[in-house]
Structure formats: C-alpha cells, structure tokens
Amino acid sequence: MNPEKSIEAPRAGDGRHETRDEQLDRNWSELLQELRVMQTGVQIIAGFLLTLPFQQRFTTLDTPQRGVFLFLVVVSAVATALMLAPVSLHRRLFRHHVRETLVASGDRIVKIVLGCVALLIAGTGWLVFSVVVGPTAGNAAGAALLAVIILLLLVFPLVVGRRHRGRDL
C-alpha cells in the first residue's frame, strides 16, 4: 500500500483554507500531540510496573501473575519505543519532502500504540485484582476492562465515523 494514497485528501468545503502542505503539517502536529498524551499514561503505568519487584508482596506472585507482569513490562517498553519511532523517522527523513509518508507512518504507529496502551491498562487491572482479591476477580476485572477499552477505543470511533460519513466531523 502506498502511504501517500492512505492520506485522505482535503474535503471541499471543510472550512479550512489550507494547502496540502499546511494540512500535512497540521496532521503531523496532531499526531505528535496524540503521542504526547499517550506517553504520559504509558510512563505512569511503566513506572508503576517497575516499582513492583521492589515491594515485599511481589515475592507472593504466582507463576501466571509473574508471567503477566513480565509481559506488561515488555509491552510498556515496546509502547515507549513505538512512541519514539515517529521522532526517529522524522529525524531520518528531515528535509526530504516526504511529509505525507511521515503522517501516514505516524498514523499507523499511533494505532499500534493505542493497542499497546489497551493491553497495558487491561493487563495492569488484571494483575492488581489478581493479587489483591484473587485470580477469579483478576480474570473478571481484566475481561471487563478489556471490553470497556475495546468499546471506547475501537467500537465508539467506528460508530461515530459511520454516523458522520459524508459529513464534516
């Protein structure tokens, strides 16, 4: 798939009187702002996870809890690296006049990071409930959180997008 073809062209009458370059600059700035917002949440969760092994109760974690903990540490590291990828890409392609490629690539990366954040939130909820209340509560809390996150991050935007298809957002 050609990244340049994946960017939606400006709609006629969208209320913005901007050139294609201005639109791409705005889109790039919006992507970076979204990454900044997600970065704070990922840093907080990663910080929480990294302090756990130094707590006395950490030694009481069973094998599945330790496995999920380590999985979440890896996901938080991957999410952090992914959030840095657009910056690295920008540095590499700076002044190469490929803003459209940067925006398309950044869009894909942000979507992957959202998936990582969803896993982090649901997994951390599972871990906390599993340790504090027990494995059954952990399973219920993790599943409930994952369901809510899927509704908020995937289903809701799809529904809103369909509802406003053909109209200005």
Side-chain angles (χ1 to χ4, degrees), residues 9 12 17 25-26 41 46 57 69 74 78-79 104 127-129 155-156:
H17 301 288
D25 287 344
R26 179 177 49 81
R57 265 192 90 179
F69 167 77
V74 169
V78 168
L127 185 61
V128 169
F129 274 81
V155 175
F156 178 65

Side-chain angles (χ1 to χ4, degrees), residues 6 11 19 25 30-31 53 66 95 100-101 131 134 137 148 154:
S6 66
R11 286 185 239 157
T19 66
D25 287 344
E30 289 172 2
L31 278 168
R66 286 178 189 254
R95 294 189 177 160
E100 200 151 348
T101 299
V131 170
V148 168
L154 186 63

Side-chain angles (χ1 to χ4, degrees), residues 114 118 147-162:
L114 279 170
V148 168
I149 292 165
I150 287 170
L151 284 171
L152 290 173
L153 300 184
L154 186 63
V155 175
F156 178 65
L158 288 172
V159 169
V160 170
R162 284 189 185 127

Side-chain angles (χ1 to χ4, degrees), residues 7-131:
I7 303 296
E8 193 175 301
R11 286 185 239 157
D14 69 354
R16 296 182 190 269
H17 301 288
E18 57 189 5
T19 66
R20 182 69 176 143
D21 286 342
E22 290 169 337
Q23 181 193 34
L24 290 169
D25 287 344
R26 179 177 49 81
N27 290 162
W28 180 248
S29 293
E30 289 172 2
L31 278 168
L32 291 178
Q33 184 59 31
E34 291 169 5
L35 286 168
R36 285 183 192 108
V37 169
M38 288 188 289
Q39 182 181 22
T40 302
V42 170
Q43 286 175 332
I44 290 169
I45 293 172
F48 163 74
L49 290 170
L50 294 175
T51 64
L52 288 181
F54 302 102
Q55 305 301 314
Q56 286 182 340
R57 265 192 90 179
F58 188 79
T59 59
T60 65
L61 266 61
D62 60 23
T63 301
Q65 292 167 335
R66 286 178 189 254
V68 169
F69 167 77
L70 291 172
F71 172 76
L72 293 173
V73 169
V74 169
V75 171
S76 68
V78 168
T80 300
L82 281 168
M83 286 186 284
L84 295 173
V87 175
S88 176
L89 190 62
H90 182 264
R91 284 293 91 213
R92 176 67 183 97
L93 299 175
F94 186 65
R95 294 189 177 160
H96 287 191
H97 307 287
V98 290
R99 179 72 67 172
E100 200 151 348
T101 299
L102 287 171
V103 171
S105 298
D107 177 62
R108 283 188 213 101
I109 291 167
V110 166
K111 289 174 183 173
I112 295 168
V113 172
L114 279 170
C116 289
V117 170
L119 285 174
L120 280 172
I121 294 169
T124 302
W126 178 89
L127 185 61
V128 169
F129 274 81
S130 179
V131 170

